[in-house]
Amino acid sequence: MLSRVAENLFWLGRYIERAENVARLIDAARRMASLPQSINHPGSNEWSSILIAAGARETFGPDYPAATAEQAAEHLLFSKDNPSSAWRCLEAARENARTIRFILTRECWEVLNAAWSQMRFMNSADATGAALCDTIDWVKARSAEFRGTVYGTMIRDDAFHFIRLGTAVERLDYTARLIDVKYHVLLPSVDEVGSGADQNQWISLLQAVAGHRAYIHTTRDDVTARGVADFLILNETFPRSICYNARLIGDHVRALGDFYEAESPCADHIEGFVKGIADKSIDDIFDAGLHEFLTSIIASNYSVADSLAAAYGFAEFVSDPETDLGSPEAQ
Amino acid sequence: MGESRVFFDEMHLGDDVRPEYAAVADWLSRLSTDDLKTKRAEAEALFRKIGITFAVYGEGGDPERLIPFDLVPRVFSAGEWDRIDAGVKQRAQALNMFLADVYNKGEVFNAGVVPRDAVQSNEAFLHQMAGFEPPGGVYTHVVGIDLVRTGPDEFYVLEDNCRTPSGVSYVLENRAVMTRLFPDLFRQGTILPVDDYSDLLRKTLTEVAPSRFAGGKPNIVVLTPGHYNSAYYEHSFLAYEMAVPLVQGSDLFVEDGIVYMRTTLGPERVDVIYRRIDDDFLDPEAFRADSQLGVPGLMEAYKNGTVTIANAPGGGVADDKAIYTYMPDIIRFYLGEEAIIPNVPTWKCADPDDFAYVMDHLPELVVKEVHGSGGYGMLVGPAATKAEIEAYADRLRADPKDFIAQPTLSLSTVPSFVEEGIAPRHVDFRPYALVGKKVRLIPGGLSRVAMREGSLVVNSSQGGGVKDTWVLRA
């Protein structure tokens, strides 16, 4: 396969997954903002926290600590100045797909084309009030539709693996960022740890990744900080956990090696990455500091993407200046 | 309906419906204007969904436009098609023999059939091709022959297209949309299918691969200038249908006279390039040095015989409007036959007598630039104002040899769905010949229709539309 095409497929997977994750992130903030306790903590603004988690502080501007729900949702969903907005993601996905549509099944292309032709007519009214939930659902549904169409129509060749690699790299990144939202929201009120507000915020996070019931089902236990972090980072079966997606990256790199009948040049690097996560315990992570762990995971996830780029001749590497999740001082 | 008396309407003969249109007439009689409007909206939604757009940049508005699709099909009987098929194959063969000759022995010059100067001083003549014979001896693998019709038995060749003729994706997509919207029309099984175009194209390209591939599977690619090109959809469509990579110049490189593409497994050899970029841009080392679209060293590899380029560079010299006027002689010279489909009578303004005639009759003629295309820069005498005619006359006087003129043909019409309802609109037709070891055609082609009343200009760049075209089973 052409290297340019592989690179575009990888980014196609990332863009669509990113659009979905932006929607999920807004959903998490929306749920947290509707919790009564948070009203008591004007210093903790869910909306500015998700701007940080989404890497959108700079595009939003210096007023981000005081961002309102409408402003943050509009910026993350529709801003043309924010390269990670859902609008820009769908635009880029569709444009990317257009340059390589000969390799996609017709059904895959039509999903992207249709999604974009609706998105281009949406505006800030769709990020306001009750319409916001509809828009979040719509974005998630388009991503699910694309994923399902890829699963149902693409043969399991290199094209499939590159799309899935993009999806896994992006999802791993976002789950790390999502967990970190909690860190930013909570930090101004450390004494709340273990309180009812704290628990509700963790529930909101789980709900945003469709993981609340999954958590209960798996742990048969109360929602606790440690439990949720363990679940979202280390669970082997939850499809949005960091560990699951690290394994997914490893699986697809091995499948590429099988398909090409030659072990991938980045196989060792990626195997090390997967092991580095899977071998950790939640105690290790909490001892070292959750925020610090998440920051380092995001950085090594980018180095995974870079090793793929080097192995398969991508024109550009993916290391991203937005790797920095931000520190509490920045608030 | 004053017009239908002047122009031949393909659906009617006097007050009767011509037999090949019986099914269409019956179908139309059962549809109301509202039905047609609904179906037209559905067709447009389908085209949008598939993303079949024609990119027009630099004119403002939506750069991705739909070509107007007219729901009323155009129909050829089996007998009519046999003649078109034979005439187009004859023409495609003669064009290839002509190209092989002018780049090699030059017999056509020695015999005094075509002046040497008309070919060798032509801008489209590439001295880089002199003395070179491409694999299989084929120069123009995909030929589009533009035909017009003026009566039940009167067909003319309006233009040959030997470079990178486009539009075939519309033929296939128009049919796909029609069968989806009106399945009943196709149930009787009298309409010949066109879906095997991409199989035939792939077969053709395989046949002309460098000789070391005899019987094997060459690596074929489609070379596009990129997704800003107005025909990008078609490039992408053909690559998809043939299941071959769609490459840009930057995906390819030449090393030691061999063309490679950059793949995830490193360099991979390329054997056949179906290119949809112009000669000028193919290779900055051989042609335009500023080309970002091409592949440095490609011509050298080509002339080493390691790769096939389809269509061959330099083929444009055969479809030039100045050469067009010699085509009946060219067919006679190489094949010993008369042209099955004649040329439109044409005056060459390079010829002093012809020039004088043209200048005296501008209001009734169509005048075209010899090197022009796409319906730009032409004068349609009967539709032009006095001032337009005078301005054009000045251009003609300045450089007569750049122009040819033809009578304003009474182009046939086909019923079409327009604002007023069903009304006759002028059409032309482009069948596509594929030239490999044999010449192949799908039973059909692109019917373009001038959607404005009285207009004779069918080009999509000028607001023309397209129709599904049926060839009926014998």
Side-chain angles (χ1 to χ4, degrees), chain A residues 1-4 6 94-95 98-106 109-110 113 120 158 162 260 311-312, chain B residues 48-51 57 64 173 227 232-233 236 239-240 244-248 251 261-265:
Chain A
M1 150 176 302
L2 292 170
S3 293
R4 174 176 57 86
R94 191 267 189 176
E95 198 59 17
R98 203 164 97 80
T99 66
I100 54 162
R101 65 178 282 186
F102 69 97
I103 205 102
L104 297 172
T105 58
R106 192 163 185 148
W109 156 258
E110 288 180 4
N113 193 42
R120 60 189 287 223
D158 40 358
F162 281 113
Y260 287 146
Y312 296 110
Chain B
R48 283 249 176 249
K49 179 174 156 209
I50 304 168
Y57 290 92
E64 291 182 29
E173 297 288 15
H227 67 288
Y232 175 77
Y233 170 72
S236 175
Y240 176 86
V244 304
L246 178 66
V247 303
Q248 301 174 359
D251 294 321
M261 53 185 160
R262 299 175 213 276
T263 80
T264 47
L265 285 179

Side-chain angles (χ1 to χ4, degrees), chain B residues 123-141:
Chain B
E123 279 178 26
F125 182 83
L126 297 182
H127 65 85
Q128 292 91 336
M129 289 292 289
F132 174 71
E133 191 176 325
V138 183
Y139 286 77
T140 176
H141 309 76

Side-chain angles (χ1 to χ4, degrees), chain B residues 373-376 378 428 448-450 456-465:
Chain B
S373 72
Y376 289 108
M378 61 190 260
D428 79 348
R448 298 187 297 179
V449 52
L456 296 168
V457 183
V458 297
N459 303 75
S460 52
S461 51
Q462 313 272 310

Side-chain angles (χ1 to χ4, degrees), chain A residues 78-331:
Chain A
F78 300 125
S79 172
K80 291 161 188 72
D81 301 325
N82 171 11
S84 292
S85 69
W87 201 93
R88 288 280 303 271
C89 286
L90 287 191
E91 180 190 38
R94 191 267 189 176
E95 198 59 17
N96 247 23
R98 203 164 97 80
T99 66
I100 54 162
R101 65 178 282 186
F102 69 97
I103 205 102
L104 297 172
T105 58
R106 192 163 185 148
E107 283 88 339
C108 284
W109 156 258
E110 288 180 4
V111 167
L112 298 169
N113 193 42
W116 170 239
S117 60
Q118 279 183 271
M119 177 57 111
R120 60 189 287 223
F121 296 112
M122 292 188 184
N123 55 48
S124 51
D126 295 298
T128 316
L132 178 61
C133 282
D134 292 340
T135 304
I136 290 170
D137 287 348
W138 181 85
V139 172
K140 288 195 295 191
R142 296 292 73 74
S143 172
E145 188 181 14
F146 175 71
R147 192 165 51 242
T149 310
V150 167
Y151 257 92
T153 65
M154 301 273 296
I155 55 171
R156 273 21 177 193
D157 63 359
D158 40 358
F160 177 79
H161 298 306
F162 281 113
I163 294 176
R164 296 294 299 153
L165 278 167
T167 307
V169 164
E170 185 67 26
R171 191 181 289 171
L172 192 159
D173 178 74
Y174 243 86
T175 297
R177 288 168 185 270
L178 188 75
I179 302 168
D180 208 50
V181 170
K182 184 66 184 65
Y183 167 83
H184 290 288
V185 172
L186 203 65
L187 210 83
S189 51
V190 183
D191 48 329
E192 291 274 354
V193 173
S195 72
D198 183 50
Q199 192 190 18
N200 279 313
Q201 285 173 341
W202 285 109
I203 290 174
S204 298
L205 274 194
L206 286 171
Q207 285 169 335
V209 292
H212 188 205
R213 187 195 165 276
Y215 174 88
I216 305 294
H217 174 82
T218 309
T219 64
R220 297 176 185 276
D221 205 351
D222 295 340
V223 175
T224 62
R226 188 169 292 254
V228 172
D230 191 8
F231 182 72
L232 290 182
I233 295 170
L234 296 174
N235 188 281
E236 304 253 353
T237 53
F238 181 61
R240 311 196 78 86
S241 83
I242 289 176
C243 186
Y244 182 90
N245 285 288
R247 289 204 185 280
L248 201 58
I249 293 170
D251 290 348
H252 282 289
V253 166
R254 263 192 307 282
L256 266 182
D258 291 346
F259 180 77
Y260 287 146
E261 294 175 2
E263 183 174 302
S264 171
C266 58
D268 286 348
H269 180 94
I270 286 167
E271 201 180 318
F273 169 73
V274 178
K275 235 173 119 39
I277 295 168
D279 290 352
K280 283 242 162 27
S281 74
I282 196 63
D283 291 334
D284 299 337
I285 292 169
F286 271 59
D287 287 350
L290 181 59
H291 177 69
E292 288 67 23
F293 171 78
L294 294 171
T295 306
S296 83
I297 282 297
I298 287 172
S300 30
N301 188 35
Y302 279 120
S303 86
V304 161
D306 278 345
S307 71
L308 281 171
Y312 296 110
F314 295 2
E316 286 179 35
F317 287 73
V318 282
S319 288
D320 191 315
E322 289 284 357
T323 304
D324 174 26
L325 276 178
S327 58
E329 291 75 42
Q331 292 191 51

Side-chain angles (χ1 to χ4, degrees), chain A residues 37-49 52 64-67 181 183-189 201 328 330-331:
Chain A
Q37 288 89 341
S38 68
I39 297 165
N40 303 327
H41 300 288
S44 78
N45 179 348
E46 303 72 19
W47 297 102
S48 71
S49 304
I52 298 167
Y64 78 91
V181 170
Y183 167 83
H184 290 288
V185 172
L186 203 65
L187 210 83
S189 51
Q201 285 173 341
Q331 292 191 51

Side-chain angles (χ1 to χ4, degrees), chain B residues 229-304:
Chain B
N229 185 270
S230 64
Y232 175 77
Y233 170 72
E234 179 156 308
H235 309 161
S236 175
F237 174 87
L238 291 173
Y240 176 86
E241 292 282 321
M242 290 196 288
V244 304
L246 178 66
V247 303
Q248 301 174 359
S250 56
D251 294 321
L252 303 181
F253 67 95
V254 176
E255 204 170 277
D256 299 331
I258 292 172
V259 182
Y260 297 93
M261 53 185 160
R262 299 175 213 276
T263 80
T264 47
L265 285 179
E268 188 174 337
R269 199 164 164 172
V270 174
D271 308 301
V272 181
I273 301 175
Y274 177 42
R275 53 90 175 218
R276 296 294 297 259
I277 70 177
D278 293 342
D279 286 357
D280 275 357
F281 295 96
L282 271 179
D283 176 357
E285 287 177 9
F287 307 112
R288 275 180 64 157
D290 62 342
S291 170
Q292 307 280 314
L293 306 174
V295 187
L298 178 59
M299 275 306 279
E300 200 193 319
Y302 179 54
K303 292 179 75 177
N304 281 343

Side-chain angles (χ1 to χ4, degrees), chain B residues 118-351:
Chain B
V119 172
Q120 294 186 346
S121 68
N122 195 297
E123 279 178 26
F125 182 83
L126 297 182
H127 65 85
Q128 292 91 336
M129 289 292 289
F132 174 71
E133 191 176 325
V138 183
Y139 286 77
T140 176
H141 309 76
V142 182
V143 196
I145 307 286
D146 290 349
L147 305 178
V148 294
R149 187 178 194 183
T150 58
D153 296 313
E154 283 95 59
F155 288 90
Y156 295 97
V157 175
L158 189 65
E159 197 173 289
D160 303 297
N161 296 278
C162 298
R163 302 170 204 218
T164 54
S166 63
V168 74
S169 54
Y170 292 99
V171 176
L172 307 185
E173 297 288 15
N174 290 349
R175 176 64 57 83
V177 166
M178 283 300 282
T179 52
R180 181 163 171 166
L181 291 181
F182 304 107
D184 292 346
L185 277 175
F186 294 85
R187 289 229 172 100
Q188 285 161 335
T190 51
I191 302 156
L192 295 178
V194 293
D195 321 305
D196 57 344
Y197 180 83
S198 38
D199 293 334
L200 295 180
L201 178 59
R202 192 182 170 113
K203 184 183 285 219
T204 299
L205 295 172
T206 303
E207 284 175 359
V208 297
S211 50
R212 63 193 178 86
F213 280 101
K217 289 182 181 163
N219 271 335
I220 299 170
V221 299
V222 177
L223 174 60
T224 175
H227 67 288
Y228 291 111
N229 185 270
S230 64
Y232 175 77
Y233 170 72
E234 179 156 308
H235 309 161
S236 175
F237 174 87
L238 291 173
Y240 176 86
E241 292 282 321
M242 290 196 288
V244 304
L246 178 66
V247 303
Q248 301 174 359
S250 56
D251 294 321
L252 303 181
F253 67 95
V254 176
E255 204 170 277
D256 299 331
I258 292 172
V259 182
Y260 297 93
M261 53 185 160
R262 299 175 213 276
T263 80
T264 47
L265 285 179
E268 188 174 337
R269 199 164 164 172
V270 174
D271 308 301
V272 181
I273 301 175
Y274 177 42
R275 53 90 175 218
R276 296 294 297 259
I277 70 177
D278 293 342
D279 286 357
D280 275 357
F281 295 96
L282 271 179
D283 176 357
E285 287 177 9
F287 307 112
R288 275 180 64 157
D290 62 342
S291 170
Q292 307 280 314
L293 306 174
V295 187
L298 178 59
M299 275 306 279
E300 200 193 319
Y302 179 54
K303 292 179 75 177
N304 281 343
T306 61
V307 67
T308 298
I309 301 178
N311 294 350
V317 75
D319 71 16
D320 192 274
K321 291 191 183 67
I323 299 302
Y324 164 84
T325 58
Y326 296 103
M327 276 310 291
D329 306 321
I330 289 171
I331 292 171
R332 204 177 299 115
F333 180 70
Y334 294 110
L335 300 172
E337 298 167 3
E338 290 306 307
I340 296 168
I341 310 175
N343 267 16
V344 178
T346 303
W347 292 276
K348 290 172 258 202
C349 299
D351 176 300

